[in-house]
Amino acid sequence: MKAFVAGATGETGRRIVQELIARNIPVRALVRDEQTARAILPPDAELVVGDVLNPNSLTAALGDSTVVLCATGAKPSFDPTGPYKVDFEGTKNLVDVAKAKGIENFVLVTSLCVSQFFHPLNLFWLILVWKKQAEEYLQKSGLTYTIVRPGGLKNEDNSDAIVMQSADTLFEGGIPRQKVAQVCVESLFEPGARNKIVEIVAKPEAISKTFTELFQQC
């Protein structure tokens, strides 16, 4: 297994890179600025320069990767096309290149509540709408996938247990990014994660379960 991580320098993406390296999985990290990325990412990660908005750069960047993990996301800005470009067009480009290369597994991080049009986050240039469009594009691609929809993201890890449910059944709650990264990486190894949408939060009162149990119940 060789993992390609898009959005590698983002808060969630960098934790995915760390988790993969902790599991001794070689990583190709897609970055736009190599110097900035080198200061953020573990030295074991192989950095490849490219951009999800430039499909030509992706073909070379994927190289000999066998799995793709996508944790890209539009940053809040005054550009109304940001979420469309990054969350939909960029993911679509990545799915197309992954399909052409015969990638074995595609893990996509989106968000809780993507199916709710009247959600406050859609005031930010319809960000959830475009994430949902990206999900549907991946689902129709024929690739083996896992779509991970986390609740509100927290930078600090905690000891809360992960709660995992199927699509459109969790509507509130938060989760540390480290746990999101763990779910993404574990999904590569769990047959129960194949071709599923999973929604995740973390709760102190929840009963701790293995990843196999979590994925099988969705």
Side-chain angles (χ1 to χ4, degrees):
M1 186 184 287
K2 186 167 191 177
F4 178 86
V5 181
T9 55
E11 291 289 351
T12 303
R14 68 185 68 177
R15 288 165 172 83
I16 289 174
V17 172
Q18 290 163 5
E19 285 290 331
L20 288 162
I21 286 173
R23 295 282 299 257
N24 294 315
I25 299 165
V27 176
R28 285 171 76 90
L30 182 70
V31 302
R32 278 180 296 189
D33 184 321
E34 199 169 341
Q35 206 170 355
T36 305
R38 188 44 75 206
I40 293 170
L41 297 173
D44 295 352
E46 180 187 351
L47 305 186
V48 287
V49 177
D51 190 329
V52 290
L53 297 179
N54 177 357
N56 294 333
S57 73
L58 293 177
T59 303
L62 253 76
D64 58 350
S65 305
T66 61
V67 297
V68 168
L69 300 99
C70 179
T72 55
K75 289 186 169 60
S77 76
F78 292 108
D79 178 5
T81 65
Y84 164 75
K85 287 191 294 196
V86 177
D87 291 279
F88 176 63
E89 201 63 41
T91 304
K92 180 175 173 288
N93 291 340
L94 194 52
V95 168
D96 289 343
V97 174
K99 190 172 180 180
K101 283 196 167 270
I103 287 292
E104 295 165 15
N105 206 332
F106 194 115
V107 180
L108 175 63
V109 181
T110 61
S111 173
L112 226 56
C113 300
V114 290
S115 302
Q116 292 188 305
F117 183 78
F118 295 104
H119 190 281
L121 276 175
N122 274 328
L123 296 174
F124 169 41
W125 315 129
L126 299 178
I127 189 162
L128 294 181
V129 169
W130 292 120
K131 285 183 186 292
K132 183 75 165 71
Q133 293 290 316
E135 287 186 358
E136 290 174 2
Y137 193 80
L138 173 58
Q139 286 178 293
K140 291 171 186 168
S141 69
L143 287 165
T144 298
Y145 67 86
T146 304
I147 293 167
V148 179
R149 295 177 176 174
L153 295 165
K154 303 172 183 177
N155 286 343
E156 293 301 312
D157 201 5
N158 59 36
S159 58
D160 295 356
I162 295 170
V163 175
M164 185 183 290
Q165 292 181 200
S166 53
D168 306 323
T169 59
L170 274 175
F171 301 102
E172 56 185 19
I175 187 166
R177 293 178 191 269
Q178 200 70 45
K179 287 181 169 52
V180 178
Q182 287 166 357
V183 168
C184 290
V185 174
E186 291 297 333
S187 75
L188 299 170
F189 298 93
E190 292 290 342
R194 301 282 181 271
N195 300 326
K196 278 184 183 173
I197 294 176
V198 297
E199 298 188 332
I200 52 171
V201 295
K203 295 180 180 176
E205 72 276 11
I207 297 164
S208 189
K209 294 180 180 177
T210 65
F211 283 105
T212 303
E213 290 170 327
L214 287 168
F215 283 113
Q216 280 177 346
Q217 71 189 17
C218 289

